[in-house]
Amino acid sequence: MCARLSGSVLVTGSNRGIGLELVRQLCESPCPPTHIFAACRDPDGPNAKVLRDLALKHPQLVTTLCLDTTNQGTIAEAARLVGDQLKDGSLNLLINNAAINIPGSLADTGEKEMMEVFLTNTVGPMLVTKEFLPHLRTAASRPGAQSEMSCRRAAVVNVSTLFSSIQRCHETFLRAPMYPYRVSKAALNMLTRCLSEDLRADGILVMALHPGWVQTDMGGPQAPLSTEDSVKGMLNVISSLSDQHVGALLDWEGKSIPW
Ligand code: NDP
């Protein structure tokens, strides 16, 4: 099935893991977006070689960009470059994927760990969304834009996690304590809800998406899902988003996760 994602897309943290696979599947889709902005911390560095090769293979489709979610200057510069490159200034889909996890027990977790993870996983998506908002607004309001909300009109997808669920914490906590990560992603969910209410009037859909437990550097080799299957599911969910999904927390199969 072809995940329909016409328009332009920006993915943060796109040099490895789920972000890289998102860019790969978007490039290789039979109905690819018009443009993919693949953002990462160090697009010229050794950890972005696979992404650079992908961009070389699809030069008309992919632009790599430097964007560190903890560095306001790089976010603003990326937004400026995207604005320059977009024909009509319209960005249709922003995927806030970049994140870190510092696992450990309560004894291992201090202010430094809490703040570092919160800055990357919560403040980062807030700043990125804020900086790209003019481009998302242009997409949502351009002549001929559909009246229903969707990723083809304008949308922000925040990559969250099952571990953000307060209701399901008792099922998952003991095998994965992860204080900073869980707290940062629960806060990301609230950010998602706030943005979804705030941007509804602009016609911009904001939601949160759990990719499943995935074989990446973060998920580890024992994870049951491959990046291919997770991202295939994520793109199916993203491409079918509509008004009813404003502010939702869904998993890669489209199932709702309780807050
Ligand atoms: P990885 O650790 O494999 O990749 C993380 C990506 O985020 C890398 O590209 C990394 O770049 C980037 N990143 C980290 N910090 C920053 C920053 N400050 N600015 C920009 N980019 C940054 O993680 P996954 O691919 O597994 O995770 C992707 C998303 O999915 C995350 O939001 C994660 O929380 C979520 N998720 C993952 C699960 C899993 O099982 N894998 C489960 C649930 C949710 P760099 O190479 O520069 O470090």
Side-chain angles (χ1 to χ4, degrees):
M1 183 184 145
C2 178
R4 289 185 311 117
L5 284 159
S6 58
S8 51
V9 180
L10 187 140
V11 183
T12 66
S14 67
N15 59 307
R16 58 189 169 95
I18 291 166
L20 177 64
E21 182 62 18
L22 276 165
V23 174
R24 196 186 65 74
Q25 287 194 24
L26 286 171
C27 283
E28 290 172 6
S29 163
C31 37
T34 51
H35 207 82
I36 303 163
F37 295 98
C40 63
R41 282 198 270 209
D42 184 11
D44 300 321
N47 292 336
K49 164 114 179 52
V50 181
L51 177 64
R52 283 198 301 278
D53 290 346
L54 198 53
L56 279 175
K57 208 170 140 195
H58 302 274
Q60 305 303 321
L61 190 54
V62 182
T63 301
T64 58
L65 289 172
C66 173
L67 190 159
D68 180 335
T69 67
T70 63
N71 181 327
Q72 170 79 55
T74 66
I75 303 171
E77 179 60 7
R80 194 188 63 74
L81 289 170
V82 166
D84 286 351
Q85 185 150 345
L86 285 167
K87 214 170 39 223
D88 59 357
S90 294
L91 180 67
N92 300 91
L93 174 63
L94 166 62
I95 305 181
N96 281 312
N97 164 75
I100 56 168
N101 179 20
I102 305 179
S105 66
L106 185 58
D108 299 326
T109 306
E111 179 181 340
K112 183 176 168 296
E113 291 74 19
M114 291 299 289
M115 296 311 290
E116 195 179 329
V117 176
F118 189 75
L119 266 183
T120 307
N121 297 4
T122 315
V123 181
M126 194 275 282
L127 295 177
V128 172
T129 306
K130 198 170 148 184
E131 207 62 57
F132 283 90
L133 198 48
H135 302 317
L136 291 160
R137 281 200 173 115
T138 304
S141 64
R142 76 186 186 285
Q146 354 160 249
S147 56
E148 181 159 8
M149 288 198 269
S150 76
C151 67
R152 287 166 294 284
R153 186 178 178 192
V156 178
V157 172
N158 291 327
V159 181
S160 189
T161 167
L162 176 64
F163 291 170
S164 68
S165 172
I166 292 170
Q167 200 172 312
R168 294 189 56 183
C169 188
H170 69 285
E171 294 168 34
T172 59
F173 180 78
L174 288 179
R175 65 183 153 89
M178 301 179 187
Y179 280 88
Y181 184 70
R182 285 172 182 273
V183 172
S184 72
K185 291 286 189 174
L188 177 70
N189 292 349
M190 180 50 108
L191 174 75
T192 303
R193 275 314 261 267
C194 295
L195 286 170
S196 73
E197 294 303 333
D198 208 5
L199 306 185
R200 189 195 289 265
D202 291 310
I204 302 169
L205 188 159
V206 186
M207 59 85 65
L209 185 56
H210 164 55
W213 182 14
V214 189
Q215 291 150 13
T216 63
D217 293 338
M218 188 185 288
Q222 74 281 30
L225 263 181
S226 65
T227 52
E228 288 82 353
D229 289 345
S230 165
V231 166
K232 198 169 161 215
M234 289 172 78
L235 289 176
N236 276 334
V237 173
I238 292 171
S239 65
S240 60
L241 294 175
S242 66
D243 292 359
Q244 60 174 311
H245 302 111
V246 170
L249 170 59
L250 303 178
D251 73 11
W252 80 105
E253 294 179 310
K255 294 189 198 117
S256 187
I257 296 177
W259 301 110

